Structure formats: C-alpha cells, structure tokens
Amino acid sequence: MKNIYFFFAILFFLSESVFAANWEFFSPQKSVGLSIGITQTGHRFVHSIRYLQRKVIKDSSIRFEFKHEKNFSKNLKITNLDEQVVSETWTPIAGERRQEVNHYRQILVTLKEMIRPFRTLQIEYRLYDYGLGFRYYFPPEFS
C-alpha cells in the first residue's frame, strides 16, 4: 500500500514540475482559457486551450525547422507578456446586421532563445468567447 501512495506522490510531483513558469488567460466571459508556459526540461514553450472548462488542445509545443539554420523549439524564455482587452464595433459591407461587435482578450508573448543565435519570436493570441486565434511574428533579424 505504501508503494501506491509513493507512486501517486511522485506522479503528482512530476505533473506539477513540468512547467518552470505558467500563466493562465481567459476570454472576456471566461468560456475560453489559454495556459502557456516554459517546460523545465528543454525549456520549450507550451500552450494548451480549454473551452467551457474542458481541455480541447492538450499541452502542445512549438517547433520551427529551417533549411540553413538551427531549429527554433527549445532553450526558450518568455521575455515579455502584453495583455489587453479589445472591444470595438465595425460595419460590414453586407449582411443582416448593421454593426458587429469585436470583443476579445489579446495576449502577445515574446520568446527569445537563451543560446546563440538568440532569435526572437512573438506569438499573438486572441481569446474570443466562442473561440481562439493565434499567429506568429518573425522579426526581420530572424530571417
């Protein structure tokens, strides 16, 4: 019986120590959740996504492979996090409504390699109450 408790204690410790740093963000009405972090082993950037408290994308890391350069996937650190809530209206050219509401929480994550060539990457997340979008920004010195 002691072995079972020891096993679960080790399992709990390992599951809690996967991230060296971890942040949580939510859409304006909290229906969509985003978790981001850096793993302790390998220093990889990881994100996961929840919808209505159900994990729909489990911990996923990023990896970019290049033809004449080293891969961009590990030895990363988060150097900056910017967060803002956007609420604006816009008028569509055609459609049933006169105005559409654009309401979301935006998170801009800046990642930097801790070893040469010290490249930087930005990931912009937009958390809407009904979904999520993200895109990558590669600064000019990256290419």
Side-chain angles (χ1 to χ4, degrees):
M1 191 66 160
K2 287 183 184 179
N3 289 341
I4 292 174
Y5 288 125
F6 179 73
F7 173 74
F8 283 117
I10 293 295
L11 187 63
F12 176 75
F13 174 74
L14 290 176
S15 67
E16 292 297 312
S17 66
V18 171
F19 292 105
N22 197 15
W23 291 271
E24 300 265 346
F25 301 97
F26 295 95
S27 63
Q29 298 293 319
K30 300 200 181 339
S31 56
V32 175
L34 168 71
S35 296
I36 62 170
I38 300 291
T39 63
Q40 287 183 343
T41 56
H43 297 280
R44 295 178 186 272
F45 177 77
V46 178
H47 62 218
S48 63
I49 299 166
R50 289 180 315 285
Y51 180 70
L52 299 176
Q53 301 300 323
R54 186 173 156 253
K55 204 174 250 192
V56 291
I57 297 180
K58 295 184 178 181
D59 297 341
S60 301
S61 62
I62 62 166
R63 178 183 175 98
F64 293 97
E65 296 182 11
F66 302 100
K67 211 173 205 178
H68 302 293
E69 292 186 36
K70 290 177 14 179
N71 294 339
F72 188 89
S73 64
K74 56 185 176 179
N75 297 312
L76 302 173
K77 67 178 177 179
I78 295 175
T79 58
N80 195 28
L81 277 174
D82 287 327
E83 178 183 10
Q84 66 178 345
V85 176
V86 176
S87 185
E88 59 191 12
T89 58
W90 59 280
T91 306
I93 295 173
E96 296 178 12
R97 298 184 191 166
R98 290 188 165 260
Q99 290 192 326
E100 294 286 338
V101 177
N102 196 18
H103 189 55
Y104 59 90
R105 181 175 309 275
Q106 178 176 299
I107 296 95
L108 184 63
V109 181
T110 304
L111 300 171
K112 185 168 185 149
E113 288 179 308
M114 296 185 293
I115 59 173
R116 290 194 191 280
F118 303 111
R119 297 172 290 190
T120 301
L121 170 70
Q122 290 185 318
I123 305 173
E124 178 187 319
Y125 294 94
R126 290 188 178 184
L127 282 71
Y128 296 88
D129 289 322
Y130 47 85
L132 174 139
F134 65 93
R135 60 183 170 179
Y136 302 104
Y137 289 105
F138 294 99
E141 69 271 5
F142 196 98
S143 54

